[in-house]
Amino acid sequence: MSAPTLPSDRAADLGAPWNDGAGARALGLVLDLAALIAEVTETGAAQTAARTRRQQHGNSERAADDPQFLRVLADSAARSAVASAAAESVLRRAASGEASVADAEAVAAGLLPLAGDAVRALFETLGASATLSEHGLHHFWTRLHDLEAR
């Protein structure tokens, strides 16, 4: 599964009110949340596919074949698709002058719980071993908390 590419470079060309102040903050938050969700989705799929040992309570020999894991991955892919579409919509509407800063703020507010769900699902799916620093997945929590603080 490949994460959608977000055209965040287009945001720089939008002009006012999107290049400074509240507009830049709201649009940047939308793009950053969508990027986080896409990266968590891609990482979850890759980490699940890499697991070859049988899960303690799993339904199959490989995690990638377990119906429960497949459902979580499908949910994650759906969150990522929604987030990417929302970010693309805000960018497109901002470029045509149809979006307001309030619109971007509303989309960011809607994406924030999706990002939290995505990060939580990653750790719930991968289990306790995902919290080990050697896997480097803690940066998702850090990024999520940083985005929540914006």
Side-chain angles (χ1 to χ4, degrees), residues 89-110:
S89 175
V90 169
L91 276 173
R92 192 175 47 254
R93 292 180 62 224
S96 69
E98 298 172 16
S100 68
V101 172
D103 293 336
E105 289 170 340
V107 170

Side-chain angles (χ1 to χ4, degrees), residues 38-57:
E39 188 177 341
V40 166
T41 298
E42 188 172 290
T43 299
Q47 291 281 326
T48 300
R51 291 178 179 254
T52 56
R53 73 172 179 83
R54 187 171 189 277
Q55 303 298 308
Q56 182 177 4
H57 300 292

Side-chain angles (χ1 to χ4, degrees), residues 3-8 11 24-42 76-88 90-91 103-120 139-150:
T5 304
L6 295 172
S8 57
R25 180 194 155 284
L27 184 59
L29 188 55
V30 167
L31 296 173
D32 290 345
L33 286 166
L36 174 62
I37 294 167
E39 188 177 341
V40 166
T41 298
E42 188 172 290
S76 184
R79 277 190 294 272
S80 183
V82 166
S84 295
E88 177 61 35
V90 169
L91 276 173
D103 293 336
E105 289 170 340
V107 170
L111 291 180
L112 199 51
L114 286 181
D117 290 347
V119 173
R120 270 189 299 285
H139 78 280
F140 289 127
W141 281 119
T142 303
R143 284 175 54 197
L144 176 62
H145 292 303
D146 287 348
L147 293 173
E148 287 174 330
R150 284 175 39 189

